[in-house]
Amino acid sequence: MKYVFAFVLVVNSLLAAAQSYRYPPRNEVSKDSSLKVFVDTLKAVVARKDAPALLKLLSPTVQVTFEDTERKEDSHNNVKGFKEMYAPQYPSSQVWKNLHTVISLGGVFGGDQNGFVFPYASQMEIRGKEDYCSGCGECLTIIAPDVNVRKSPDRLSAALGRLNYDVVKVIEEPVSKVFGGKSDNWVYIQTFDGKLTGWVRNDLTWDICDYRLLLEKKKGKWQIAAFIAGD
């Protein structure tokens, strides 16, 4: 039977009396020596963009879509579907960048010691704040310290304040702004207490429905059980 992962954990510390809500980085890889060996191997594979080696780390039923897993016909949740969706044989494939990003953010164990999820930020859930963060794209975790909140979507715009791993509400969808020949994406946010509203760089935030890498331990061996985005 397909291993079922719980994508979201309850973070009770976010429900403190204070009006500022934060979800600081967590990385539990070192709690399991066999997991650490697997993750170190995976990091090396991603660094050299080694597609054959990556495929060997996949579960035969690796999940890449949220299609009905009970239907076997035309399923994409397998190694073939992973290759078709992510095309890892090409060094330019976005799968390498996305894997590097989620792993670098650190991860946490799931419901037991046989399931592990990257990044830690995908496991955030706020309870007790009705109509605040009930789905994808409604709130974000700031994934860096001292992130400037700016008056307009521009690196040269006035800084209105700074955030440190705060959880914030999305007010407007991301917009692009060219800076130094490169395009930045910016998102308009507001803090829980409503005291700070402005623009932050989208690459310094994480949505709970962005890419997640899920690892599973079967018969003492770790493997990639899913690499997926959405809900």
Side-chain angles (χ1 to χ4, degrees), residues 9-27:
L9 302 177
V10 178
V11 183
N12 292 324
S13 62
L14 292 175
L15 304 181
Q19 292 300 308
S20 178
Y21 296 84
R22 294 190 171 119
Y23 193 31
R26 300 166 62 198
N27 194 0

Side-chain angles (χ1 to χ4, degrees), residues 127-156:
R127 293 187 176 179
K129 289 284 181 181
E130 293 183 4
D131 302 322
Y132 188 89
C133 184
S134 60
C136 299
E138 294 193 7
C139 66
L140 302 170
T141 303
I142 302 296
I143 55 173
D146 297 323
V147 172
N148 283 311
V149 179
R150 298 194 180 275
K151 186 175 181 180
S152 60
D154 189 321
R155 294 194 190 198
L156 300 181

Side-chain angles (χ1 to χ4, degrees), residues 153-157 176-184 186 201:
D154 189 321
R155 294 194 190 198
L156 300 181
S157 176
S176 293
K177 177 76 174 181
V178 176
F179 178 83
K182 296 182 179 180
S183 180
D184 284 339
W186 297 80
R201 280 172 39 205

